[in-house]
Amino acid sequence: MKVLALLTLCVTLSLPSQAALIITGVFDGPLPGGDPKGVELFATTDITDLAQFALGVANNGGGSDGVETILPSQALSAGSFFFVATEDQDFAQWFGVAPGHVGGNGINHNGDDAIELFFDATGSFAGDEAVIDVFGDINTDGTGTAWDTVDGWAHRNDGVLANGGAFDANNWTFSGPNAWDGDDNFDGGSDNGTNLTATPPFPAGTFQIPEPTSTLLGAIGLGLVCFLRRKP
Ligand SMILES: [Ca+2]
Ligand SMILES: [Ca+2]
Ligand SMILES: [Ca+2]
Ligand SMILES: [Ca+2]
């Protein structure tokens, strides 16, 4: 019975999140205009159409602003990252790649704003969408809070799945406010900073969820050991 209970527990732990997309990073850059600004998203399972997802920035603790930018219609495979930024030129200088989607003001934040990730299976976002993940508290101005990312960044801790709209700063790692002050310039240059020359750099593309299959196989192995040790 213990083996069965352990296996049941581990199978439950191995189930994928109900949310196929999560926010894994938030950044507020030091380049002119406060660029790059945006979020890093991560697919926990294969997504056939990203246009079922949308973002909104709840500015300055004023509550939800609803959907402000809908993601483009394309597939995203499990384990892949997807960047949404306010613009593309400074983003490309900073990260060395193009953003997946330019969201303009729809993703405009400056460190004290909460960011909502919405899902609507129909893709219409006419009011039936649900908040599947959130960064920050939509009803609190983030200035001076644990999740204040002004001129810096926040990064989701490995293995933390979608929060369904209930944010917990303990599940995130932060650069600290103003960590990127001065990082707009590198080596005496002018506005030539990049993520790699910044201190600390945003840990782009590093989020991971522990492999479900290895967790399950490990649990089965542990269960067998427990079972065999009970034999005389
Ligand atoms: Ca807004
Ligand atoms: Ca703000
Ligand atoms: Ca800023
Ligand atoms: Ca600053």
Side-chain angles (χ1 to χ4, degrees):
M1 287 303 290
K2 278 183 179 173
V3 175
L4 185 60
L6 187 59
L7 284 179
T8 304
L9 173 67
C10 293
V11 168
T12 304
L13 289 175
S14 302
L15 287 174
S17 160
Q18 73 242 31
L21 195 67
I22 57 176
I23 302 166
T24 50
V26 176
F27 45 88
D28 175 26
L31 296 177
D35 294 339
K37 292 181 191 299
V39 295
E40 180 193 64
L41 305 174
F42 176 84
T44 64
T45 59
D46 285 338
I47 295 171
T48 54
D49 190 2
L50 269 183
Q52 295 175 317
F53 299 87
L55 291 160
V57 180
N59 298 92
N60 310 329
S64 179
D65 284 356
V67 169
E68 294 186 297
T69 185
I70 299 172
L71 301 190
S73 186
Q74 66 172 81
L76 189 67
S77 58
S80 297
F81 294 89
F82 188 87
F83 280 102
V84 178
T86 53
E87 53 74 61
D88 55 2
Q89 292 196 356
D90 285 343
F91 180 93
Q93 174 187 321
W94 192 256
F95 286 110
V97 295
H101 175 61
V102 175
N105 274 333
I107 195 62
N108 197 356
H109 69 89
N110 57 0
D112 60 354
D113 308 305
I115 298 173
E116 295 180 292
L117 176 61
F118 299 92
F119 175 76
D120 181 346
T122 70
S124 63
F125 295 101
D128 289 334
E129 62 272 6
V131 175
I132 56 172
D133 198 24
V134 68
F135 172 80
D137 178 353
I138 63 171
N139 297 311
T140 300
D141 186 305
T143 303
T145 68
W147 52 275
D148 186 349
T149 56
V150 64
D151 299 345
W153 51 260
H155 189 253
R156 195 184 203 98
N157 293 340
D158 285 345
V160 177
L161 300 176
N163 59 32
F167 175 75
D168 182 351
N170 291 317
N171 289 328
W172 290 72
T173 299
F174 302 92
S175 67
N178 302 305
W180 277 353
D181 281 0
D183 287 335
D184 50 327
N185 295 328
F186 169 62
D187 205 16
S190 177
D191 300 330
N192 61 350
T194 71
N195 186 51
L196 293 179
T197 60
T199 50
F202 171 71
T206 62
F207 175 85
Q208 57 183 341
I209 292 174
E211 191 64 44
T213 49
S214 60
T215 304
L216 181 58
L217 288 175
I220 290 172
L222 186 62
L224 277 176
V225 167
C226 295
F227 180 73
L228 292 173
R229 289 188 65 167
R230 286 170 59 89
K231 295 283 184 185

